[in-house]
Amino acid sequence: MNSPLDATTSDQRPNADALPHHRTAKIRGIVFDKDGTLFSYDGTWGPWTGSFIEYITDGDPELSRELAARLEYDRETGTFLPTSPAIAETMDFMIDTVMGTVPGLDRGELWDYVIESTSHAPQAPSVPLLPLLERLTAAGYAMGVATNDAIEPANVHLKNAGIFEHFAFVAGYDSGYGSKPEPGMLTAFCELADIAPEECLMIGDSLHDLTAGRSAGMITMGVLTGPASADELAPLADVIAPDIGHLPRILRL
């Protein structure tokens, strides 16, 4: 399908001023991914995962190494490899990986622990979020969050960051709309906000995010606050910026 915006070229990226006004003027709605977009992925989930591996393996060196390898998590740096499925997949991936690595665990108890511990994981905002969202709200944009995290911790994270009230729509992979890269959450946002998909901007740090946006018929924006590089995001991004702090310039606010 043809891109609704002019994508940046390889020698322009990252460039937050690459979109002409007549292309951005139509945007009325904005959907954000959460982890890697609103919040720095490694800054948030790197520390949590290190502690989680240590706890769930009871410090067993062999099990710890095996689980970290399966998650493609570098324990020395506290970061995920760019190829890690954990970055874009749902919580079920984490649960399945742990269950396949550590013997004797009860799935229900593991699920409860993961939800509880992730809900209280300190978030590392990718930029100062409140002033940005206040500016977008004042400009009249309807905003939502579509995350492959579970809805319970997602709501807690947004409330703890003091930004929950700026979103008319928040959906996790367990909210009943499916998970990314399927477009269900984005379609639901459009229906709720009564905005056509082509009038919406989907912002994310992974190919799952941008695939969902394209599938829904939205304009897509890639950001580099997750593990993916500009070159990886370029095929599905109409524009790429270092972070969401560049939105005011992109939208000419």
Side-chain angles (χ1 to χ4, degrees):
M1 60 184 289
N2 292 329
S3 167
L5 295 181
D6 299 328
T8 54
T9 60
S10 59
D11 61 345
Q12 292 174 316
R13 297 189 310 267
N15 187 342
D17 297 307
L19 304 178
H21 176 73
H22 74 277
R23 295 291 192 178
T24 58
K26 66 169 64 176
I27 297 173
R28 298 171 53 214
I30 304 172
V31 182
F32 296 86
D33 168 54
K34 181 171 71 75
D35 300 314
T37 302
L38 290 171
F39 303 102
S40 166
Y41 193 88
D42 280 329
T44 295
W45 296 115
W48 178 86
T49 303
S51 297
F52 173 73
I53 289 174
E54 184 71 15
Y55 173 83
I56 213 67
T57 63
D58 199 24
D60 183 286
E62 184 175 343
L63 281 178
S64 296
R65 283 193 297 270
E66 183 178 355
L67 182 55
R70 291 191 179 189
L71 294 173
E72 297 189 39
Y73 174 79
D74 187 329
R75 297 172 68 202
E76 291 188 4
T77 63
T79 60
F80 286 87
L81 300 179
T83 55
S84 172
I87 295 166
E89 290 292 344
T90 68
M91 193 70 71
D92 286 331
F93 168 79
M94 176 72 76
I95 299 293
D96 290 342
T97 302
V98 173
M99 292 292 295
T101 307
V102 183
L105 295 177
D106 178 270
R107 188 179 184 91
E109 291 179 358
L110 176 61
W111 173 266
D112 290 343
Y113 173 76
V114 169
I115 292 296
E116 175 67 18
S117 62
T118 57
S119 293
H120 294 93
Q123 303 297 293
S126 60
V127 300
L129 294 174
L130 187 56
L132 172 63
L133 294 174
E134 287 177 338
R135 189 171 179 181
L136 294 172
T137 298
Y141 292 100
M143 292 185 289
V145 174
T147 176
N148 273 356
D149 196 358
I151 188 62
E152 182 179 338
N155 283 336
V156 172
H157 297 159
L158 298 174
K159 289 175 182 178
N160 286 346
I163 59 174
F164 181 81
E165 67 273 12
H166 287 281
F167 299 106
F169 176 89
V170 179
Y173 84 97
D174 54 350
S175 295
Y177 307 114
S179 60
K180 298 174 291 186
E182 297 303 317
M185 288 187 276
L186 307 188
T187 300
F189 169 80
C190 290
E191 293 174 352
L192 175 70
D194 193 24
I195 299 175
E198 60 269 22
E199 296 176 314
C200 292
L201 178 65
M202 172 62 195
I203 309 175
D205 67 298
S206 75
L207 292 178
H208 272 32
D209 299 322
L210 303 185
T211 297
R214 284 292 181 93
S215 297
M218 292 183 174
I219 299 161
T220 56
M221 173 178 162
V223 289
L224 305 180
T225 39
S229 69
D231 285 338
E232 290 170 318
L233 298 176
L236 293 174
D238 295 305
V239 63
I240 296 175
D243 54 56
I244 58 174
H246 289 254
L247 263 176
R249 283 199 286 162
I250 289 174
L251 297 172
R252 271 62 176 191
L253 298 183

